[in-house]
Amino acid sequence: MDLKLIGERQRSDYAARRLAAFATHCRKSGLAVTPQRLAIIRVLLATPEHPTAEAVYEIVRQEHPHISLATVHRTLDTLCEIGEAHKVTPLHDSARYDGNVAAHHHVVCVRCRRIADVELPDADRVLHRRATIGEFRVIGTSVEFLALCKNCQAEAKQNHE
Amino acid sequence: MDLKLIGERQRSDYAARRLAAFATHCRKSGLAVTPQRLAIIRVLLATPEHPTAEAVYEIVRQEHPHISLATVHRTLDTLCEIGEAHKVTPLHDSARYDGNVAAHHHVVCVRCRRIADVELPDADRVLHRRATIGEFRVIGTSVEFLALCKNCQAEAKQNHE
DNA sequence: GTAGATGCAAAAAGTTTGCGGTAAG
DNA sequence: CTTACCGCAAACTTTTTGCATCTAC
């Protein structure tokens, strides 16, 4: 099965391209290109760490000692809205529990955060082989489908018309 | 591709079996079988909702008006420790951001919460076909490998010896 | 009877918001 | 010059913790 960690060279090439296009993309989206926004996208593109807002703040602060944590939160949200960043954790805001401890997967409505269980025997066959990825020893695999549920499809349509 | 939402009958059969075994499993794990724990596992097994602690609390409270939210939090943690429940959101405690907005997947160390990017062209081919699951319209797919990183493998070993 | 579990209240951790001053376009 | 942005402080939400009491075994 074809599967690998994303390498450092690959990431830094990608980062350079994205940084070059950043100012243009901001203006196209109606956003001002502020030093804070530049500093934050630079940190995000430079690290493989998938940082928290707090972690980004600690790094950005080294060059912008006056920046506030609130700005970092607002900026990260903004970057996600224009597609310059992703939240790795769409459900981070409160823990969700599942009584079903058998192997299965989830579909999550990105709008109302409803979650439903999904069976996916094919993917399990594809995914379960591999016991390590680089330095990581794999102990479980879960597929998360981001989606819109029926209700939210309807409401999203209304809001756009 | 074989893929479906898990049905209601299938879930309630499973719940009945699990509930029957619950007390035994608690005692085997050295846990007291308290009315609060029973009430909470019953709620978890009865709902397809993947509830938050708060949501479990609201339901349990109808029969145990004196239960406290702290107990619900503690109990859900405990249930996860003995494998009677799962957190759908292993990274819920703070939002994590990613500057890489190209399609890719993640491996997460369940101990130190380090995250690394993973490429998975095979799975993308398997997963990308499907545009709907039941009533959900799929807009993205992400695979999360739960794992132990090298450091944490070593430390986990030490702690068990 | 005793160790472990619970309830309550307070604290901690993470995120959001209101507002007056500031800077990008 | 104007609008949007930022910093600060306060508020809010979710989760954790300390401690006295209670209960399952």
CSV table of all heavy atoms in Angstrom, one decimal, chain D:
chain,number,residue,atom,x,y,z
D,1,DC,P,-8.3,64.4,5.5
D,1,DC,OP1,-9.1,65.6,5.0
D,1,DC,OP2,-7.9,64.3,6.9
D,1,DC,O5',-9.2,63.1,5.2
D,1,DC,C5',-10.0,63.1,4.0
D,1,DC,C4',-10.5,61.7,3.8
D,1,DC,O4',-9.4,60.8,3.7
D,1,DC,C3',-11.4,61.2,5.0
D,1,DC,O3',-12.4,60.5,4.4
D,1,DC,C2',-10.4,60.3,5.8
D,1,DC,C1',-9.6,59.7,4.6
D,1,DC,N1,-8.2,59.2,5.0
D,1,DC,C2,-7.8,58.0,4.5
D,1,DC,O2,-8.6,57.3,3.8
D,1,DC,N3,-6.6,57.5,4.8
D,1,DC,C4,-5.8,58.2,5.5
D,1,DC,N4,-4.5,57.8,5.7
D,1,DC,C5,-6.1,59.5,6.0
D,1,DC,C6,-7.4,59.9,5.8
D,2,DT,P,-13.9,60.5,5.2
D,2,DT,OP1,-14.9,61.2,4.4
D,2,DT,OP2,-13.7,60.9,6.6
D,2,DT,O5',-14.2,58.9,5.1
D,2,DT,C5',-14.0,58.3,3.9
D,2,DT,C4',-13.6,56.8,4.2
D,2,DT,O4',-12.3,56.7,4.7
D,2,DT,C3',-14.5,56.2,5.3
D,2,DT,O3',-15.2,55.1,4.7
D,2,DT,C2',-13.5,55.7,6.4
D,2,DT,C1',-12.2,55.7,5.6
D,2,DT,N1,-10.9,55.9,6.4
D,2,DT,C2,-9.8,55.0,6.2
D,2,DT,O2,-9.9,54.1,5.4
D,2,DT,N3,-8.7,55.4,6.8
D,2,DT,C4,-8.5,56.4,7.7
D,2,DT,O4,-7.4,56.6,8.3
D,2,DT,C5,-9.7,57.3,7.9
D,2,DT,C7,-9.6,58.5,8.8
D,2,DT,C6,-10.8,57.0,7.2
D,3,DT,P,-16.3,54.3,5.5
D,3,DT,OP1,-17.5,54.4,4.7
D,3,DT,OP2,-16.3,54.8,6.9
D,3,DT,O5',-15.8,52.8,5.5
D,3,DT,C5',-15.0,52.4,4.3
D,3,DT,C4',-14.1,51.2,4.8
D,3,DT,O4',-13.0,51.8,5.6
D,3,DT,C3',-14.8,50.2,5.7
D,3,DT,O3',-14.6,48.9,5.2
D,3,DT,C2',-14.2,50.5,7.1
D,3,DT,C1',-12.8,51.0,6.7
D,3,DT,N1,-12.2,51.9,7.7
D,3,DT,C2,-10.8,51.9,7.9
D,3,DT,O2,-10.1,51.2,7.3
D,3,DT,N3,-10.3,52.8,8.8
D,3,DT,C4,-11.1,53.7,9.6
D,3,DT,O4,-10.5,54.5,10.4
D,3,DT,C5,-12.5,53.7,9.3
D,3,DT,C7,-13.4,54.6,10.1
D,3,DT,C6,-13.0,52.8,8.5
D,4,DA,P,-15.2,47.6,5.8
D,4,DA,OP1,-15.8,46.9,4.7
D,4,DA,OP2,-16.1,48.0,7.0
D,4,DA,O5',-13.9,46.9,6.3
D,4,DA,C5',-12.8,46.8,5.5
D,4,DA,C4',-11.6,46.6,6.4
D,4,DA,O4',-11.3,47.7,7.3
D,4,DA,C3',-11.8,45.4,7.3
D,4,DA,O3',-10.6,44.7,7.3
D,4,DA,C2',-12.0,46.0,8.7
D,4,DA,C1',-11.1,47.3,8.6
D,4,DA,N9,-11.5,48.4,9.5
D,4,DA,C8,-12.7,48.9,9.8
D,4,DA,N7,-12.7,49.9,10.6
D,4,DA,C5,-11.4,50.0,10.9
D,4,DA,C6,-10.7,51.0,11.7
D,4,DA,N6,-11.3,51.9,12.5
D,4,DA,N1,-9.3,50.8,11.8
D,4,DA,C2,-8.7,49.9,11.0
D,4,DA,N3,-9.2,49.0,10.2
D,4,DA,C4,-10.6,49.1,10.2
D,5,DC,P,-10.3,43.3,8.0
D,5,DC,OP1,-9.7,42.4,7.0
D,5,DC,OP2,-11.6,42.9,8.7
D,5,DC,O5',-9.2,43.6,9.1
D,5,DC,C5',-8.1,44.3,8.7
D,5,DC,C4',-7.3,44.7,9.9
D,5,DC,O4',-7.9,45.8,10.6
D,5,DC,C3',-7.1,43.6,10.9
D,5,DC,O3',-5.7,43.4,11.1
D,5,DC,C2',-7.9,44.1,12.1
D,5,DC,C1',-7.8,45.6,11.9
D,5,DC,N1,-9.0,46.4,12.5
D,5,DC,C2,-8.7,47.4,13.4
D,5,DC,O2,-7.5,47.6,13.7
D,5,DC,N3,-9.7,48.1,14.0
D,5,DC,C4,-11.0,47.8,13.6
D,5,DC,N4,-11.9,48.5,14.2
D,5,DC,C5,-11.3,46.8,12.7
D,5,DC,C6,-10.2,46.1,12.2
D,6,DC,P,-5.2,42.2,12.1
D,6,DC,OP1,-4.0,41.8,11.5
D,6,DC,OP2,-6.4,41.3,12.3
D,6,DC,O5',-4.9,43.1,13.4
D,6,DC,C5',-4.0,44.1,13.4
D,6,DC,C4',-3.9,44.7,14.7
D,6,DC,O4',-5.2,45.4,15.0
D,6,DC,C3',-3.7,43.7,15.8
D,6,DC,O3',-2.5,44.1,16.5
D,6,DC,C2',-4.9,43.8,16.7
D,6,DC,C1',-5.5,45.2,16.3
D,6,DC,N1,-7.0,45.3,16.3
D,6,DC,C2,-7.6,46.3,17.0
D,6,DC,O2,-6.9,47.1,17.7
D,6,DC,N3,-9.0,46.4,17.0
D,6,DC,C4,-9.7,45.5,16.3
D,6,DC,N4,-11.0,45.6,16.3
D,6,DC,C5,-9.1,44.5,15.6
D,6,DC,C6,-7.7,44.4,15.6
D,7,DG,P,-1.9,43.2,17.6
D,7,DG,OP1,-0.4,43.2,17.4
D,7,DG,OP2,-2.6,41.9,17.6
D,7,DG,O5',-2.2,43.9,19.0
D,7,DG,C5',-1.8,45.2,19.2
D,7,DG,C4',-2.4,45.7,20.5
D,7,DG,O4',-3.8,45.8,20.4
D,7,DG,C3',-2.2,44.7,21.7
D,7,DG,O3',-1.8,45.5,22.9
D,7,DG,C2',-3.6,44.1,21.9
D,7,DG,C1',-4.5,45.1,21.4
D,7,DG,N9,-5.7,44.6,20.7
D,7,DG,C8,-5.8,43.6,19.9
D,7,DG,N7,-7.1,43.4,19.4
D,7,DG,C5,-7.8,44.4,20.1
D,7,DG,C6,-9.2,44.6,20.0
D,7,DG,O6,-10.0,44.1,19.3
D,7,DG,N1,-9.6,45.7,20.8
D,7,DG,C2,-8.7,46.5,21.5
D,7,DG,N2,-9.2,47.5,22.2
D,7,DG,N3,-7.4,46.2,21.6
D,7,DG,C4,-7.0,45.2,20.9
D,8,DC,P,-1.3,44.8,24.2
D,8,DC,OP1,-0.2,45.7,24.7
D,8,DC,OP2,-1.1,43.4,23.9
D,8,DC,O5',-2.6,45.0,25.2
D,8,DC,C5',-3.1,46.3,25.4
D,8,DC,C4',-4.5,46.2,26.0
D,8,DC,O4',-5.4,45.7,25.1
D,8,DC,C3',-4.5,45.1,27.2
D,8,DC,O3',-4.8,45.8,28.4
D,8,DC,C2',-5.6,44.1,26.8
D,8,DC,C1',-6.4,44.9,25.7
D,8,DC,N1,-7.1,44.1,24.7
D,8,DC,C2,-8.4,44.3,24.4
D,8,DC,O2,-9.0,45.2,25.0
D,8,DC,N3,-9.0,43.5,23.5
D,8,DC,C4,-8.3,42.6,22.9
D,8,DC,N4,-9.0,41.9,21.9
D,8,DC,C5,-7.0,42.3,23.1
D,8,DC,C6,-6.4,43.1,24.1
D,9,DA,P,-4.7,45.0,29.8
D,9,DA,OP1,-4.0,45.9,30.7
D,9,DA,OP2,-4.2,43.6,29.5
D,9,DA,O5',-6.2,44.9,30.2
D,9,DA,C5',-7.1,45.9,29.8
D,9,DA,C4',-8.5,45.4,30.0
D,9,DA,O4',-8.9,44.6,28.8
D,9,DA,C3',-8.7,44.4,31.2
D,9,DA,O3',-9.9,44.7,31.9
D,9,DA,C2',-8.7,43.0,30.5
D,9,DA,C1',-9.4,43.4,29.2
D,9,DA,N9,-9.1,42.4,28.1
D,9,DA,C8,-7.9,41.8,27.9
D,9,DA,N7,-7.9,41.0,26.8
D,9,DA,C5,-9.2,41.1,26.3
D,9,DA,C6,-9.8,40.6,25.2
D,9,DA,N6,-9.2,39.7,24.4
D,9,DA,N1,-11.1,40.9,25.0
D,9,DA,C2,-11.7,41.8,25.8
D,9,DA,N3,-11.2,42.4,26.9
D,9,DA,C4,-9.9,42.0,27.1
D,10,DA,P,-10.3,43.9,33.2
D,10,DA,OP1,-10.5,44.9,34.2
D,10,DA,OP2,-9.4,42.7,33.3
D,10,DA,O5',-11.8,43.4,32.7
D,10,DA,C5',-12.6,44.1,31.8
D,10,DA,C4',-13.6,43.2,31.3
D,10,DA,O4',-13.1,42.4,30.2
D,10,DA,C3',-14.2,42.2,32.3
D,10,DA,O3',-15.6,42.1,32.1
D,10,DA,C2',-13.5,40.9,31.9
D,10,DA,C1',-13.4,41.1,30.4
D,10,DA,N9,-12.3,40.3,29.7
D,10,DA,C8,-11.1,40.0,30.2
D,10,DA,N7,-10.3,39.3,29.4
D,10,DA,C5,-11.2,38.9,28.4
D,10,DA,C6,-11.0,38.2,27.2
D,10,DA,N6,-9.9,37.5,26.9
D,10,DA,N1,-12.1,38.1,26.4
D,10,DA,C2,-13.2,38.7,26.7
D,10,DA,N3,-13.5,39.5,27.7
D,10,DA,C4,-12.4,39.6,28.6
D,11,DA,P,-16.5,41.2,33.0
D,11,DA,OP1,-17.7,41.9,33.4
D,11,DA,OP2,-15.6,40.5,33.9
D,11,DA,O5',-17.0,40.1,31.9
D,11,DA,C5',-17.6,40.6,30.7
D,11,DA,C4',-17.9,39.4,29.8
D,11,DA,O4',-16.6,38.8,29.3
D,11,DA,C3',-18.6,38.2,30.5
D,11,DA,O3',-19.6,37.8,29.6
D,11,DA,C2',-17.5,37.2,30.7
D,11,DA,C1',-16.6,37.4,29.5
D,11,DA,N9,-15.2,37.0,29.7
D,11,DA,C8,-14.4,37.3,30.7
D,11,DA,N7,-13.2,36.8,30.6
D,11,DA,C5,-13.2,36.1,29.3
D,11,DA,C6,-12.3,35.4,28.6
D,11,DA,N6,-11.0,35.2,29.0
D,11,DA,N1,-12.6,34.9,27.4
D,11,DA,C2,-13.9,35.1,27.0
D,11,DA,N3,-14.9,35.8,27.6
D,11,DA,C4,-14.5,36.3,28.8
D,12,DC,P,-20.8,36.9,30.1
D,12,DC,OP1,-22.1,37.5,29.5
D,12,DC,OP2,-20.7,36.7,31.5
D,12,DC,O5',-20.5,35.6,29.3
D,12,DC,C5',-19.9,35.7,28.0
D,12,DC,C4',-19.5,34.3,27.5
D,12,DC,O4',-18.1,34.1,27.8
D,12,DC,C3',-20.2,33.1,28.2
D,12,DC,O3',-20.7,32.3,27.2
D,12,DC,C2',-19.1,32.5,29.1
D,12,DC,C1',-17.8,32.9,28.3
D,12,DC,N1,-16.5,32.9,29.1
D,12,DC,C2,-15.4,32.4,28.5
D,12,DC,O2,-15.5,31.9,27.4
D,12,DC,N3,-14.2,32.4,29.1
D,12,DC,C4,-14.2,33.0,30.3
D,12,DC,N4,-13.0,33.0,31.0
D,12,DC,C5,-15.3,33.6,31.0
D,12,DC,C6,-16.5,33.5,30.3
D,13,DT,P,-21.6,31.0,27.6
D,13,DT,OP1,-22.7,31.0,26.7
D,13,DT,OP2,-21.8,30.9,29.1
D,13,DT,O5',-20.6,29.8,27.2
D,13,DT,C5',-19.7,29.9,26.1
D,13,DT,C4',-18.9,28.6,26.0
D,13,DT,O4',-17.7,28.8,26.8
D,13,DT,C3',-19.5,27.4,26.6
D,13,DT,O3',-19.3,26.3,25.7
D,13,DT,C2',-18.8,27.2,27.9
D,13,DT,C1',-17.5,27.8,27.7
D,13,DT,N1,-16.7,28.4,28.8
D,13,DT,C2,-15.4,28.2,29.0
D,13,DT,O2,-14.8,27.5,28.2
D,13,DT,N3,-14.8,28.8,30.1
D,13,DT,C4,-15.4,29.5,31.0
D,13,DT,O4,-14.8,30.0,31.9
D,13,DT,C5,-16.8,29.7,30.8
D,13,DT,C7,-17.6,30.6,31.8
D,13,DT,C6,-17.4,29.2,29.7
D,14,DT,P,-19.9,24.8,25.9
D,14,DT,OP1,-20.2,24.4,24.6
D,14,DT,OP2,-20.9,24.9,27.0
D,14,DT,O5',-18.6,24.0,26.4
D,14,DT,C5',-17.5,23.9,25.6
D,14,DT,C4',-16.4,23.3,26.4
D,14,DT,O4',-16.0,24.2,27.5
D,14,DT,C3',-16.7,22.0,27.1
D,14,DT,O3',-15.8,21.0,26.7
D,14,DT,C2',-16.6,22.3,28.6
D,14,DT,C1',-15.6,23.5,28.6
D,14,DT,N1,-15.7,24.4,29.8
D,14,DT,C2,-14.5,24.7,30.5
D,14,DT,O2,-13.5,24.3,30.2
D,14,DT,N3,-14.7,25.6,31.5
D,14,DT,C4,-15.9,26.1,32.0
D,14,DT,O4,-15.9,26.9,32.9
D,14,DT,C5,-17.1,25.7,31.2
D,14,DT,C7,-18.4,26.3,31.6
D,14,DT,C6,-16.9,24.9,30.2
D,15,DT,P,-15.8,19.5,27.2
D,15,DT,OP1,-15.2,18.7,26.1
D,15,DT,OP2,-17.2,19.2,27.7
D,15,DT,O5',-14.8,19.6,28.4
D,15,DT,C5',-13.4,20.0,28.1
D,15,DT,C4',-12.6,20.0,29.4
D,15,DT,O4',-13.2,21.1,30.2
D,15,DT,C3',-12.7,18.7,30.2
D,15,DT,O3',-11.3,18.3,30.3
D,15,DT,C2',-13.3,19.1,31.5
D,15,DT,C1',-13.0,20.6,31.5
D,15,DT,N1,-13.9,21.5,32.4
D,15,DT,C2,-13.4,22.3,33.4
D,15,DT,O2,-12.2,22.3,33.6
D,15,DT,N3,-14.3,23.0,34.0
D,15,DT,C4,-15.7,23.0,33.9
D,15,DT,O4,-16.4,23.8,34.6
D,15,DT,C5,-16.2,22.2,32.8
D,15,DT,C7,-17.6,22.1,32.5
D,15,DT,C6,-15.3,21.5,32.1
D,16,DT,P,-10.9,17.1,31.2
D,16,DT,OP1,-9.7,16.5,30.6
D,16,DT,OP2,-12.1,16.3,31.6
D,16,DT,O5',-10.4,17.8,32.5
D,16,DT,C5',-9.5,18.8,32.5
D,16,DT,C4',-9.1,19.3,33.9
D,16,DT,O4',-10.2,20.0,34.4
D,16,DT,C3',-8.8,18.2,34.8
D,16,DT,O3',-7.5,18.5,35.4
D,16,DT,C2',-9.9,18.2,35.8
D,16,DT,C1',-10.4,19.6,35.8
D,16,DT,N1,-11.8,19.9,36.0
D,16,DT,C2,-12.1,20.9,37.0
D,16,DT,O2,-11.3,21.5,37.6
D,16,DT,N3,-13.5,21.1,37.1
D,16,DT,C4,-14.5,20.5,36.4
D,16,DT,O4,-15.6,20.8,36.7
D,16,DT,C5,-14.1,19.5,35.5
D,16,DT,C7,-15.1,18.8,34.7
D,16,DT,C6,-12.8,19.3,35.3
D,17,DT,P,-6.8,17.6,36.5
D,17,DT,OP1,-5.4,17.7,36.3
D,17,DT,OP2,-7.5,16.2,36.4
D,17,DT,O5',-7.2,18.2,37.9
D,17,DT,C5',-7.0,19.6,38.1
D,17,DT,C4',-7.4,20.0,39.5
D,17,DT,O4',-8.8,20.2,39.6
D,17,DT,C3',-7.1,18.9,40.6
D,17,DT,O3',-6.5,19.6,41.7
D,17,DT,C2',-8.5,18.4,40.9
D,17,DT,C1',-9.4,19.6,40.7
D,17,DT,N1,-10.8,19.3,40.3
D,17,DT,C2,-11.8,20.1,40.8
D,17,DT,O2,-11.5,21.0,41.6
D,17,DT,N3,-13.0,19.8,40.4
D,17,DT,C4,-13.4,18.7,39.6
D,17,DT,O4,-14.6,18.6,39.3
D,17,DT,C5,-12.3,17.9,39.0
D,17,DT,C7,-12.6,16.8,38.1
D,17,DT,C6,-11.1,18.2,39.4
D,18,DG,P,-5.8,18.8,42.9
D,18,DG,OP1,-4.4,19.3,42.9
D,18,DG,OP2,-6.1,17.4,42.7
D,18,DG,O5',-6.6,19.4,44.1
D,18,DG,C5',-7.0,20.8,44.2
D,18,DG,C4',-7.7,21.0,45.5
D,18,DG,O4',-9.1,20.8,45.2
D,18,DG,C3',-7.4,20.1,46.6
D,18,DG,O3',-7.6,20.8,47.8
D,18,DG,C2',-8.4,18.9,46.5
D,18,DG,C1',-9.7,19.7,45.9
D,18,DG,N9,-10.5,19.0,45.0
D,18,DG,C8,-10.1,18.0,44.1
D,18,DG,N7,-11.1,17.6,43.4
D,18,DG,C5,-12.2,18.3,43.9
D,18,DG,C6,-13.6,18.2,43.5
D,18,DG,O6,-14.1,17.5,42.6
D,18,DG,N1,-14.4,19.0,44.3
D,18,DG,C2,-13.9,19.9,45.3
D,18,DG,N2,-14.8,20.6,45.9
D,18,DG,N3,-12.7,19.9,45.6
D,18,DG,C4,-11.9,19.1,44.9
D,19,DC,P,-7.2,20.2,49.3
D,19,DC,OP1,-6.7,21.3,50.0
D,19,DC,OP2,-6.5,18.9,49.1
D,19,DC,O5',-8.7,19.8,49.9
D,19,DC,C5',-9.7,20.8,49.8
D,19,DC,C4',-11.0,20.2,50.2
D,19,DC,O4',-11.6,19.5,49.1
D,19,DC,C3',-10.9,19.1,51.3
D,19,DC,O3',-11.9,19.2,52.2
D,19,DC,C2',-11.1,17.8,50.5
D,19,DC,C1',-12.1,18.3,49.5
D,19,DC,N1,-12.3,17.4,48.3
D,19,DC,C2,-13.6,17.3,47.7
D,19,DC,O2,-14.5,17.9,48.2
D,19,DC,N3,-13.7,16.5,46.6
D,19,DC,C4,-12.7,15.9,46.1
D,19,DC,N4,-12.9,15.1,45.0
D,19,DC,C5,-11.4,15.9,46.7
D,19,DC,C6,-11.2,16.7,47.8
D,20,DA,P,-11.7,18.7,53.8
D,20,DA,OP1,-11.1,19.8,54.5
D,20,DA,OP2,-11.0,17.4,53.8
D,20,DA,O5',-13.2,18.5,54.2
D,20,DA,C5',-14.2,19.4,53.8
D,20,DA,C4',-15.5,18.6,53.6
D,20,DA,O4',-15.4,17.9,52.3
D,20,DA,C3',-15.8,17.5,54.6
D,20,DA,O3',-17.2,17.6,55.0
D,20,DA,C2',-15.4,16.2,53.9
D,20,DA,C1',-15.7,16.5,52.5
D,20,DA,N9,-15.0,15.7,51.5
D,20,DA,C8,-13.6,15.4,51.6
D,20,DA,N7,-13.2,14.7,50.5
D,20,DA,C5,-14.4,14.5,49.8
D,20,DA,C6,-14.6,13.8,48.6
D,20,DA,N6,-13.6,13.2,47.9
D,20,DA,N1,-15.9,13.8,48.1
D,20,DA,C2,-16.8,14.5,48.8
D,20,DA,N3,-16.7,15.2,49.9
D,20,DA,C4,-15.4,15.1,50.4
D,21,DT,P,-17.8,16.5,55.9
D,21,DT,OP1,-18.8,17.2,56.7
D,21,DT,OP2,-16.8,15.7,56.6
D,21,DT,O5',-18.6,15.6,54.9
D,21,DT,C5',-19.5,16.1,54.0
D,21,DT,C4',-20.1,15.0,53.1
D,21,DT,O4',-19.1,14.5,52.3
D,21,DT,C3',-20.7,13.9,53.9
D,21,DT,O3',-22.0,13.7,53.4
D,21,DT,C2',-19.8,12.7,53.7
D,21,DT,C1',-19.2,13.1,52.3
D,21,DT,N1,-17.9,12.5,52.0
D,21,DT,C2,-17.8,11.8,50.8
D,21,DT,O2,-18.7,11.6,50.0
D,21,DT,N3,-16.5,11.3,50.5
D,21,DT,C4,-15.4,11.5,51.3
D,21,DT,O4,-14.3,11.0,51.0
D,21,DT,C5,-15.6,12.2,52.5
D,21,DT,C7,-14.4,12.4,53.5
D,21,DT,C6,-16.8,12.7,52.8
D,22,DC,P,-23.0,12.6,54.1
D,22,DC,OP1,-24.4,13.1,54.0
D,22,DC,OP2,-22.4,12.1,55.3
D,22,DC,O5',-22.9,11.4,53.0
D,22,DC,C5',-23.1,11.7,51.6
D,22,DC,C4',-22.8,10.5,50.8
D,22,DC,O4',-21.4,10.3,50.8
D,22,DC,C3',-23.4,9.2,51.2
D,22,DC,O3',-24.0,8.6,50.1
D,22,DC,C2',-22.3,8.4,51.8
D,22,DC,C1',-21.1,8.9,51.0
D,22,DC,N1,-19.7,8.7,51.5
D,22,DC,C2,-18.8,8.1,50.7
D,22,DC,O2,-19.1,7.6,49.6
D,22,DC,N3,-17.5,8.0,51.2
D,22,DC,C4,-17.2,8.5,52.4
D,22,DC,N4,-15.9,8.4,52.8
D,22,DC,C5,-18.2,9.1,53.2
D,22,DC,C6,-19.4,9.2,52.7
D,23,DT,P,-25.1,7.5,50.2
D,23,DT,OP1,-26.3,8.0,49.5
D,23,DT,OP2,-25.2,7.1,51.6
D,23,DT,O5',-24.6,6.3,49.4
D,23,DT,C5',-23.8,6.5,48.2
D,23,DT,C4',-23.0,5.3,47.8
D,23,DT,O4',-21.7,5.3,48.5
D,23,DT,C3',-23.7,4.0,48.3
D,23,DT,O3',-23.3,3.0,47.3
D,23,DT,C2',-23.0,3.7,49.6
D,23,DT,C1',-21.5,4.1,49.2
D,23,DT,N1,-20.6,4.3,50.3
D,23,DT,C2,-19.3,4.1,50.0
D,23,DT,O2,-18.8,3.6,49.0
D,23,DT,N3,-18.4,4.3,51.1
D,23,DT,C4,-18.8,4.8,52.3
D,23,DT,O4,-17.9,5.0,53.2
D,23,DT,C5,-20.2,5.1,52.5
D,23,DT,C7,-20.7,5.6,53.8
D,23,DT,C6,-21.0,4.8,51.5
D,24,DA,P,-24.3,2.2,46.4
D,24,DA,OP1,-24.8,3.1,45.4
D,24,DA,OP2,-25.2,1.5,47.3
D,24,DA,O5',-23.4,1.1,45.7
D,24,DA,C5',-22.4,1.6,44.8
D,24,DA,C4',-21.2,0.6,44.9
D,24,DA,O4',-20.4,0.8,46.1
D,24,DA,C3',-21.5,-0.9,44.8
D,24,DA,O3',-20.6,-1.5,44.0
D,24,DA,C2',-21.4,-1.3,46.3
D,24,DA,C1',-20.3,-0.4,46.9
D,24,DA,N9,-20.4,0.0,48.2
D,24,DA,C8,-21.6,0.3,48.9
D,24,DA,N7,-21.5,0.6,50.2
D,24,DA,C5,-20.1,0.6,50.3
D,24,DA,C6,-19.2,0.9,51.4
D,24,DA,N6,-19.7,1.3,52.6
D,24,DA,N1,-17.9,0.8,51.3
D,24,DA,C2,-17.4,0.4,50.1
D,24,DA,N3,-18.1,0.1,49.0
D,24,DA,C4,-19.4,0.2,49.2
D,25,DC,P,-20.7,-3.0,43.6
D,25,DC,OP1,-20.1,-3.3,42.3
D,25,DC,OP2,-22.1,-3.4,43.9
D,25,DC,O5',-19.7,-3.7,44.7
D,25,DC,C5',-18.3,-3.4,44.6
D,25,DC,C4',-17.6,-4.0,45.8
D,25,DC,O4',-18.1,-3.3,47.0
D,25,DC,C3',-17.9,-5.5,46.1
D,25,DC,O3',-16.7,-6.2,46.0
D,25,DC,C2',-18.5,-5.5,47.5
D,25,DC,C1',-18.0,-4.2,48.1
D,25,DC,N1,-18.9,-3.7,49.2
D,25,DC,C2,-18.3,-3.2,50.3
D,25,DC,O2,-17.1,-3.2,50.5
D,25,DC,N3,-19.2,-2.7,51.3
D,25,DC,C4,-20.5,-2.6,51.1
D,25,DC,N4,-21.2,-2.1,52.1
D,25,DC,C5,-21.1,-3.1,49.9
D,25,DC,C6,-20.3,-3.6,49.0
